[in-house]
Amino acid sequence: MITEGDISGTTTKRRRGFSFLDVLLALGISAAMYANIAQLQNDMTNNLHAQATADRMAMLASASNAYITANYKLLTSISKTPVEIPITGNSDWDGIGDLRSTGLLPDDFTTNMPMGQTVHLLVRDIQANGTIPEHLEGMLVTSGGSRYG
């Protein structure tokens, strides 16, 4: 026959320590929290890279606009087909320096963006069409690097 002391003794034994289910639940919650923290950190890193890229592209756009304005006549004569203007380094054309050597960009500026992309400035001459007058069009493009995400 089972007495009340036997029942309370088994109940006491079951309450000691953590059960396997409690440990699994704690591990599951910890894993979910770790995954969320890792995703937040990844998103924050991508946002920092995107902001750095946007800042550098804004600086390049301003320098490119000033460069095209300063060298308009010379660029018009050589850009009947799209021409790549060097951002850093030597140019193939006499009289045209790169954006960095002309003082439009800081001396330590490099064309490598945060995700490894390389930036290029392309210029082409747009002919007048009756509505739009002839003008130069500059376009900043990137190549290479790695994807976000």
Side-chain angles (χ1 to χ4, degrees), residues 47-105:
N47 287 340
L48 289 172
H49 284 157
Q51 183 62 47
T53 300
D55 291 343
R56 296 193 85 177
M57 290 300 281
M59 182 188 301
L60 276 168
S62 176
S64 298
N65 188 28
Y67 185 87
I68 291 170
T69 302
N71 297 295
Y72 189 84
K73 286 186 180 184
L74 186 57
L75 289 170
T76 303
S77 68
I78 63 171
S79 63
K80 298 303 178 199
T81 60
V83 174
E84 181 176 352
I85 306 298
I87 293 175
T88 60
N90 294 328
S91 167
D92 293 337
W93 310 297
D94 292 330
I96 298 181
D98 59 75
L99 272 68
R100 186 174 58 188
S101 69
T102 56
L104 298 170
L105 292 172

Side-chain angles (χ1 to χ4, degrees), residues 38-54 114-115 117 146-149:
Q39 183 61 43
L40 286 173
Q41 184 178 13
N42 188 33
D43 290 347
M44 188 174 15
T45 301
N46 284 343
N47 287 340
L48 289 172
H49 284 157
Q51 183 62 47
T53 300
M115 294 299 287
Q117 307 96 331
S146 60
R147 296 180 7 189
Y148 286 117

Side-chain angles (χ1 to χ4, degrees), residues 4 13 34-35 39 54 71 101 132 141:
E4 191 176 318
K13 287 181 184 176
Y34 177 75
Q39 183 61 43
N71 297 295
S101 69
I132 300 172
V141 295

